[in-house]
């Protein structure tokens, strides 16, 4: 990658941020819950309880951590239902235009997701936005830990041209703010995905209601 121009380098999250999939997530969650014997959950309750690593989310639901065997079943059943529906998800309003505009202005951006890499790249390509990112990284292992160590590797792969003081992580989960802090970067959290505003505000970083606002705040943080 060439020399970084002025302005923020945004590390975008995918699910719940650039991809508007929260309704699909709730549908898949409830389909999987029906299959494994849990009660259906509302969007509001999901946003209050959701956290990373995801087994902790199930602990909040059932009052204990799932065993390893239970977790493997829960994870597999959810992803079966989610990926059967994922093709119907669209980008968040204005996302494609924001990405294209930042690239046209000489800003850089990359994508870091906990979605499996082999699923992530084709769906990003399908939405016609792959060219706007200098790097795309999805999950390549079976770990369901958060993004912190993955963020380290992501920035290392971007190289020295991406100064950490100009990096701003934009995501929909508290874990995105945790990962940003882990590498000394800033974060902006978006309310359109997996968390309630109240949950996001507990992270102590700016919280916004649109991606356009997220970009404005990110540029201000990078000054």
């Amino acid at each position: 990658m060439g020399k970084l121009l002025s302005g923020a380098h945004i590390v975008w999250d995918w699910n719940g941020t650039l991809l508007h999939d929260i309704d699909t997530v709730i549908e898949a969650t409830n389909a999987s819950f029906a299959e494994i014997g849990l009660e259906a959950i509302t969007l509001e309750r999901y946003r209050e309880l959701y956290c990373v690593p995801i087994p902790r989310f199930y602990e909040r639901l059932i009052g204990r951590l799932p065993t390893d065997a239970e977790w493997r079943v829960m994870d597999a059943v959810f992803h079966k239902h989610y990926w059967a529906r994922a093709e119907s998800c669209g980008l968040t309003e204005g996302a494609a235009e924001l990405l294209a505009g930042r690239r046209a202005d000489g800003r850089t951006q990359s994508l870091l997701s906990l979605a499996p890499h082999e699923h992530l790249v084709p769906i990003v390509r399908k939405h016609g936005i792959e060219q706007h990112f200098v790097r795309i990284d999805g999950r390549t292992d079976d770990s369901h830990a958060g993004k912190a160590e993955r963020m380290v590797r992501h920035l290392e792969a971007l190289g020295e041209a991406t100064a950490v003081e100009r990096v701003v992580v934009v995501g929909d989960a508290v874990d995105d703010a945790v990962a940003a802090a882990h590498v000394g970067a800033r974060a902006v959290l978006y309310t359109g995905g997996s968390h309630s505003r109240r949950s996001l505000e507990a992270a102590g970083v700016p919280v916004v209601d649109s991606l356009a606002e997220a970009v404005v705040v990110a540029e201000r943080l990078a000054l």
Side-chain angles (χ1 to χ4, degrees):
M1 189 174 75
K3 185 178 182 351
L4 179 67
L5 300 178
S6 62
H9 172 90
I10 293 182
V11 178
W12 292 97
D13 171 59
W14 179 242
N15 299 98
T17 303
L18 291 175
L19 185 71
H20 182 69
D21 67 346
I22 187 60
D23 299 323
T24 297
V25 166
I26 298 301
E27 289 178 13
T29 297
N30 283 329
S32 67
F33 280 9
E35 196 167 323
I36 62 179
L38 295 178
E39 292 185 7
I41 192 169
T42 64
L43 172 60
E44 291 73 24
R45 181 164 168 76
Y46 181 93
R47 282 176 162 164
E48 284 298 324
L49 295 181
Y50 182 78
C51 61
V52 175
I54 301 173
R56 296 285 183 188
F57 167 61
Y58 284 93
E59 180 182 29
R60 292 177 174 186
L61 278 170
I62 65 176
R64 63 174 176 82
L65 273 174
T67 66
D68 288 345
E70 287 172 331
W71 164 242
R72 285 193 294 272
V73 171
M74 291 169 168
D75 188 49
V77 171
F78 169 78
H79 281 98
K80 175 186 72 175
H81 289 289
Y82 176 81
W83 289 109
R85 296 164 167 82
E87 289 293 319
S88 65
C89 297
L91 295 178
T92 298
E93 183 178 358
E97 294 79 8
L98 281 170
L99 294 170
R102 293 194 82 253
R103 181 180 174 222
D105 288 342
R107 304 293 198 239
T108 59
Q109 50 207 343
S110 55
L111 179 58
L112 176 62
S113 174
L114 295 179
H117 191 76
E118 70 271 19
H119 289 299
L120 177 66
V121 172
I123 199 167
V124 171
R125 189 172 293 147
K126 170 183 171 288
H127 285 288
I129 57 174
E130 180 185 19
Q131 70 276 16
H132 302 316
F133 303 107
V134 295
R135 185 174 181 86
I136 298 173
D137 285 319
R139 178 167 56 83
T140 57
D141 55 33
D142 293 329
S143 171
H144 284 272
K147 279 185 178 173
E149 292 306 319
R150 302 175 201 275
M151 188 67 70
V152 173
R153 297 192 292 271
H154 184 73
L155 295 190
E156 286 175 348
L158 288 175
E160 293 181 0
T162 309
V164 71
E165 60 267 20
R166 293 196 176 278
V167 172
V168 181
V169 178
V170 176
D172 69 315
V174 171
D175 186 58
D176 292 300
V178 171
H182 185 69
V183 296
R186 309 292 187 88
V188 180
L189 299 180
Y190 164 61
T191 60
S194 60
H195 284 39
S196 67
R197 173 176 275 277
R198 185 184 67 82
S199 298
L200 294 178
E201 286 174 344
V205 302
V207 176
V208 300
D209 296 317
S210 72
L211 296 188
E213 186 182 357
V215 168
V216 170
V217 173
E219 292 296 349
R220 188 164 66 237
L221 290 175
L223 289 176

